[in-house]
């Protein structure tokens, strides 16, 4: 009996030894066996532990970087592991944690049978990847990321990136980013339910984490199931009988929502999983600057303006300052936009004068615009100078050098502007911009410019009339009859002011030719009543006071010229509002003439009168 038991033990031991030896022999011969199978790729990289089971293996073995990939290889990743697989020349497939695939070939490209998990594909030009699921195939776009998940209800395919075409029994479903489809255990796709709210990839600013979910109704539906996911985990599930529901969540953040329709304990339709985000609405209180006016000193080009507020947005915060109208500077201000750090609540910018507005842009909106003005503190406007009427006949010397017209200086004036004949001239002194050398008959006015280059009011207009003296006619002057001298004792003593002497019967001196050009012919000529033409005087102590009396023509002003020449090239000019004038003169022969001014205009000259003082 003992011998039989020992023989049985030896037989079992022999069989076990043969089995182990055969297994390890097969492992040693696996390279030659793999060489007989088609190699379709290479393991580009792995993270943590990744395992592979070939068609010839009984168990899974670690998959190392650089290892070849063959037909019917199974690759699986763990909880914290992943793998990047290279297929063909440039196509790459990324496996996320907890994924399980089988590699094979299709007629038009590489095939991957996914049993669980998430994979991403980067497909080279001219190559293709077909994903086999539960009685469905998925054709991926060149850059795609897809998630497969299985349950007792079937397989759900969700496209995370790119585009895909899912084909099942009698169904061809295109998928775009964020969309999903579900196949039942039998392989028939579940009808889609269309979500209305929230919008795809929507951000809903709220003060409390509340989301409104709505969808298009499905006929003959008993109830709808609302499911909300966060980080691939189901955090909310409830039923509703209407086509909308308000869901209050526990916190702000990123979520996905899916709604399914049910009847007789069977799912009749399901929506895509739609992403949305609920974010706390930032609260801001704008502090400075508020609506109003800021003052820029006249010596400053720019003003440092501090912008401050209360509140923060950890996601995004940006300040925008916009110039509403260009300022008075040569370089008008431009729009300023700057992204701010997370905890900044004030910032300073140097701005020129002008009108501005500013507000804040945050991750879910913007604050209202606030308008303000930066006004330069300017010097007060200056009064105009007191200008006078100018009526002048140019002498030959003045015609050559020009006549300078001026006015009283205004204190603190930096310059002046002169307007005449429709032209505005600028001068830095209280003089006409240039000497006048030609005839002028118009009005002019002047205004003062202050140190900030701002003009004041114009002065009242004044007459500016410049004429040229007409050349005199040449006339022969006959010799006058000699005058007998009068004894000194017979001559009465002259008064301190004037002495009137009866004229002698000496013939009148020849008259200079006169012209009416430039004169107002309607203004009467004043007559010289005293002294009479060709009057003779004997001076006492070398000088005499000449008493000139004119006819009263009711003139605003009387003008008298006294010159040693009847051409009046260098005359002595006397003016008076009364027709009586006096002038102390020395020995010699003189000519005098007079004219009248009315309403700023001048009349013609009277005939010259000769006076002789011996």
């Amino acid at each position: 009996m003992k011998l039989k038991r020992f023989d049985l033990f030896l037989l079992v031991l022999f069989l076990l030894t043969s089995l182990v030896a055969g297994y390890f022999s097969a492992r040693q011969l696996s390279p030659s066996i793999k060489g007989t199978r088609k190699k379709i790729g290479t393991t580009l990289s792995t993270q943590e532990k990744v395992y592979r089971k070939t068609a010839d293996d009984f168990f899974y073995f670690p998959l190392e970087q650089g290892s070849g990939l063959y037909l019917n290889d199974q690759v699986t990743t763990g909880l914290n592991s992943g793998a990047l697989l290279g297929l063909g020349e440039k196509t790459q497939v990324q496996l996320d944690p907890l994924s399980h695939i089988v590699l094979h070939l299709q007629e038009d490209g590489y095939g991957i049978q996914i049993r669980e998990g998430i994979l991403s594909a980067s497909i080279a030009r001219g190559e293709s990847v077909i994903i086999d699921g539960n009685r469905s195939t998925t054709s991926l776009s060149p850059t795609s990321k897809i998630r497969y998940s299985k349950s007792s209800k079937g397989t759900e395919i969700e496209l995370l990136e790119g585009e895909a075409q899912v084909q099942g029994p009698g169904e061809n479903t295109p998928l775009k980013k964020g969309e999903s489809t579900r196949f039942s255990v039998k392989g028939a796709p579940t009808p889609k339910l269309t979500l209305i709210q929230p919008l795809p990839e929507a951000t809903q600013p709220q003060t409390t984490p509340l989301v409104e979910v709505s969808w298009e109704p499905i006929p003959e539906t008993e109830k709808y199931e609302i499911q909300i996911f966060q980080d691939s985990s189901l955090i909310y599930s409830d039923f509703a009988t209407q086509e909308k529901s308000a869901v209050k969540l526990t916190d702000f953040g990123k979520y996905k929502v899916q709604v399914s329709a049910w009847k007789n304990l069977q799912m009749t339709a399901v929506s895509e999983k739609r992403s949305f985000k609920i974010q706390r609405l930032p609260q801001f209180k704008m502090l400075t600057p508020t609506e109003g006016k800021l003052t820029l000193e006249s010596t400053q080009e720019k003003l440092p303006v501090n912008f401050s507020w209360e509140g923060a947005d950890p996601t995004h915060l940006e300040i925008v300052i916009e110039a509403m109208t260009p300022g008075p500077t040569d370089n008008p201000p431009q729009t300023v936009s700057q992204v701010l750090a997370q905890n900044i609540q004030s910032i300073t910018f140097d701005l020129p004068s002008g009108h501005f507005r500013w507000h804040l842009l945050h991750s879910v909106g913007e604050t209202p615009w606030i308008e303000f003005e930066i006004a330069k503190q300017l010097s007060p406007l200056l009064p105009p100078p007191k200008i006078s009427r100018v009526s002048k006949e140019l002498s030959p010397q003045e015609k050559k050098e020009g006549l300078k017209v001026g006015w009283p200086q205004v204190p603190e004036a930096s310059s002046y502007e002169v307007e005449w004949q429709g032209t505005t001239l600028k001068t830095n002194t209280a003089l006409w911009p240039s000497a006048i050398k030609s005839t002028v008959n118009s009005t002019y006015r002047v205004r003062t410019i202050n140190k900030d280059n701002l003009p004041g009011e114009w002065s009242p207009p004044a007459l500016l009339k410049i004429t040229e003296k007409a050349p005199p006619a040449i006339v022969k002057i006959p010799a006058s009859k000699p005058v007998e001298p009068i004894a000194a004792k017979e001559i009465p003593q002259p008064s301190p002011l004037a002495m009137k002497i009866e004229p002698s019967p000496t013939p009148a001196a020849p008259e200079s030719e006169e012209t009416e050009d430039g004169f107002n012919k309607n203004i009467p000529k004043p007559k010289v009543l005293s002294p009479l033409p060709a009057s003779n005087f004997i001076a006492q102590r070398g000088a005499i006071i000449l008493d000139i009396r004119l006819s009263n023509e009711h003139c605003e002003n009387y003008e008298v010229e006294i010159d040693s020449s009847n051409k009046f090239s260098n005359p002595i000019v006397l003016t008076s509002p009364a027709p009586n004038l006096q002038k102390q003169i020395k020995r010699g022969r003189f000519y005098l003439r007079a004219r009248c001014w009315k309403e700023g205009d001048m009349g013609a000259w009277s005939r010259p009168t000769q006076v002789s003082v011996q």
Side-chain angles (χ1 to χ4, degrees):
M1 180 67 67
K2 291 183 179 180
L3 181 60
K4 291 182 179 180
R5 289 180 179 177
F6 179 74
D7 291 340
L8 182 59
F9 171 75
L10 290 177
L11 180 60
V12 173
L13 180 61
F14 173 76
L15 292 175
L16 290 175
T17 304
S18 300
L19 182 62
V20 172
Y23 171 76
F24 283 101
S25 297
R27 292 294 302 168
Q28 292 177 357
L29 294 176
S30 59
S32 61
I33 295 174
K34 290 176 183 176
T36 62
R37 294 186 289 116
K38 183 175 179 60
K39 181 179 179 181
I40 62 173
T42 304
T43 305
L44 301 179
S45 64
T46 59
Q47 297 85 35
E48 298 296 333
K49 293 294 184 179
V50 179
Y51 295 90
R52 186 259 307 272
K53 186 172 84 71
T54 68
D56 303 312
D57 288 334
F58 295 101
F59 304 102
Y60 284 90
F61 293 91
L63 180 63
E64 303 294 339
Q65 181 175 339
S67 300
L69 297 173
Y70 300 87
L71 284 176
N72 299 320
D73 279 358
Q74 297 185 38
V75 181
T76 181
T77 57
L79 181 62
N80 298 313
S81 63
L84 180 61
L85 308 180
L87 301 179
E89 295 183 359
K90 295 183 179 180
T91 296
Q92 297 181 359
V93 175
Q94 174 72 46
L95 292 182
D96 283 9
L98 300 177
S99 298
H100 184 190
I101 66 171
V102 180
L103 300 176
H104 59 91
L105 284 177
Q106 298 280 357
E107 294 181 359
D108 52 354
Y110 300 101
I112 299 176
Q113 181 184 10
I114 183 167
R115 297 182 176 178
E116 189 71 29
I118 301 174
L119 65 83
S120 306
S122 176
I123 304 171
R125 184 183 299 273
E127 298 181 344
S128 63
V129 174
I130 305 298
I131 310 296
D132 290 341
N134 184 16
R135 300 189 63 184
S136 65
T137 59
T138 304
S139 301
L140 300 180
S141 63
T143 303
S144 303
K145 187 174 184 179
I146 196 166
R147 174 188 285 122
Y148 274 69
S149 58
K150 288 185 177 181
S151 66
S152 59
K153 299 177 183 179
T155 301
E156 181 180 10
I157 305 172
E158 180 181 5
L159 188 65
L160 306 179
E161 298 289 344
E163 295 182 356
Q165 193 79 17
V166 181
Q167 187 168 1
E171 182 76 15
N172 193 350
T173 305
L175 289 183
K176 294 183 179 181
K177 179 181 177 180
E179 295 182 342
S180 63
T181 186
R182 179 178 293 179
F183 286 83
S184 65
V185 177
K186 297 180 180 180
T190 307
K192 277 192 174 182
L193 182 148
T194 303
L195 283 174
I196 300 177
Q197 291 288 350
L199 297 176
E201 300 294 335
T203 297
Q204 297 182 324
Q206 303 285 349
T207 55
T208 58
L210 183 69
V211 60
E212 183 79 17
V213 183
S214 60
W215 54 90
E216 293 183 0
I218 300 294
E220 300 180 358
T221 297
E222 295 177 352
K223 58 183 178 180
Y224 298 93
E225 182 182 11
I226 303 101
Q227 293 180 322
I228 296 181
F229 303 85
Q230 188 176 38
D231 298 331
S232 302
S233 300
L234 180 65
I235 63 169
Y236 176 88
S237 179
D238 199 1
F239 288 91
T241 57
Q242 302 296 325
E243 293 82 31
K244 63 179 179 179
S245 177
V247 180
K248 185 175 182 180
L249 303 173
T250 58
D251 197 4
F252 298 91
K254 297 180 179 180
Y255 298 91
K256 288 187 178 181
V257 60
Q258 187 175 47
V259 178
S260 56
W262 292 78
K263 182 181 179 181
N264 298 328
L265 300 179
Q266 296 293 327
M267 181 188 298
T268 59
V270 65
S271 72
E272 61 176 329
K273 278 188 178 178
R274 179 174 291 181
S275 301
F276 68 94
K277 179 170 66 174
I278 297 182
Q279 184 169 339
R280 189 187 305 275
L281 183 63
Q283 300 292 327
F284 289 94
K285 180 181 180 181
M286 315 302 276
L287 299 180
T288 60
T290 57
E291 294 185 359
K293 182 181 292 186
L294 305 176
T295 302
L296 178 67
E297 298 293 335
S298 59
T299 56
Q300 292 179 293
E301 292 297 329
K302 292 185 177 182
L303 179 68
V305 181
N306 179 257
F307 297 84
S308 62
W309 58 89
E310 291 180 355
D313 187 340
T315 305
H316 176 81
L317 187 61
E318 181 178 356
I319 185 172
V320 178
I321 305 167
E322 183 178 286
M324 300 178 62
T325 57
T329 59
D330 294 336
N331 297 319
Q334 303 295 324
T335 299
V336 177
S337 177
Q338 181 171 330
V339 178
L340 305 172
Q342 178 176 345
N343 296 322
I344 285 185
Q345 292 187 333
S346 68
I347 190 171
T348 300
F349 292 96
D350 292 336
L351 300 177
S353 58
H355 294 265
F356 300 87
R357 63 177 188 171
W358 75 287
H359 72 162
L360 296 174
L361 299 177
H362 47 83
S363 59
V364 293
E366 60 186 34
T367 63
W369 286 98
I370 295 179
E371 298 182 8
F372 66 97
E373 178 186 1
I374 300 178
K376 200 166 187 178
Q377 186 176 5
L378 303 175
S379 303
L381 301 180
L382 299 177
K386 296 181 180 180
I387 62 175
S388 304
R389 299 174 182 174
V390 178
S391 181
K392 178 68 176 175
E393 187 177 75
L394 293 177
S395 65
Q397 187 70 18
E398 290 172 334
K399 184 177 180 181
K400 179 179 179 181
E401 298 179 356
L403 179 66
K404 294 183 178 180
V405 177
W407 50 82
Q409 176 74 29
V410 177
E412 299 184 0
S414 63
S415 61
Y416 302 88
E417 286 184 348
V418 181
E419 183 186 68
W420 75 300
Q421 294 184 342
T423 305
T424 301
L425 307 175
K426 190 168 184 177
T427 174
N428 294 325
T429 61
L431 292 172
W432 199 269
S434 60
I436 300 175
K437 299 182 180 181
S438 59
T439 59
V440 177
N441 188 5
S442 65
T443 60
Y444 76 103
R445 59 180 185 170
V446 182
R447 64 181 178 183
T448 311
I449 309 299
N450 65 10
K451 61 182 180 180
D452 291 320
N453 202 33
L454 297 177
E457 295 183 355
W458 289 104
S459 65
L463 177 68
L464 176 64
K465 192 166 187 177
I466 307 297
T467 59
E468 296 181 8
K469 184 183 294 294
I474 301 176
V475 181
K476 290 184 179 181
I477 303 175
S480 61
K481 185 178 180 180
V483 180
E484 295 182 0
I486 302 175
K489 62 180 180 178
E490 296 178 359
I491 300 175
Q493 183 69 25
S495 65
L497 297 178
M499 180 174 67
K500 184 176 180 182
I501 303 176
E502 294 295 332
S504 63
T506 306
E511 299 175 354
S512 62
E513 184 179 358
E514 60 182 4
T515 176
E516 297 294 335
D517 293 341
F519 302 137
N520 190 339
K521 298 180 181 180
N522 297 323
I523 298 177
K525 301 177 183 178
K527 297 179 180 179
V528 180
L529 303 179
S530 175
L532 296 176
S535 297
N536 292 326
F537 299 89
I538 297 178
Q540 298 294 324
R541 294 182 298 275
I544 190 172
I545 295 179
L546 192 64
D547 186 15
I548 304 172
R549 296 182 181 272
L550 307 174
S551 62
N552 189 356
E553 303 295 342
H554 303 286
C555 304
E556 293 180 355
N557 206 2
Y558 296 86
E559 183 179 4
V560 175
E561 285 186 349
I562 305 174
D563 200 350
S564 58
S565 170
N566 61 356
K567 297 181 180 180
F568 295 92
S569 59
N570 190 23
I572 299 172
V573 181
L574 305 177
T575 58
S576 173
N580 300 324
L581 300 96
Q582 293 178 343
K583 178 64 178 176
Q584 182 176 338
I585 59 175
K586 295 183 179 182
R587 296 176 184 271
R589 186 176 62 180
F590 302 94
Y591 298 90
L592 63 90
R593 62 180 180 178
R595 64 180 174 184
C596 179
W597 285 82
K598 284 187 177 182
E599 298 179 357
D601 208 351
M602 57 187 177
W605 288 107
S606 67
R607 295 182 178 182
T609 298
Q610 179 181 333
V611 178
S612 178
V613 178
Q614 299 179 356

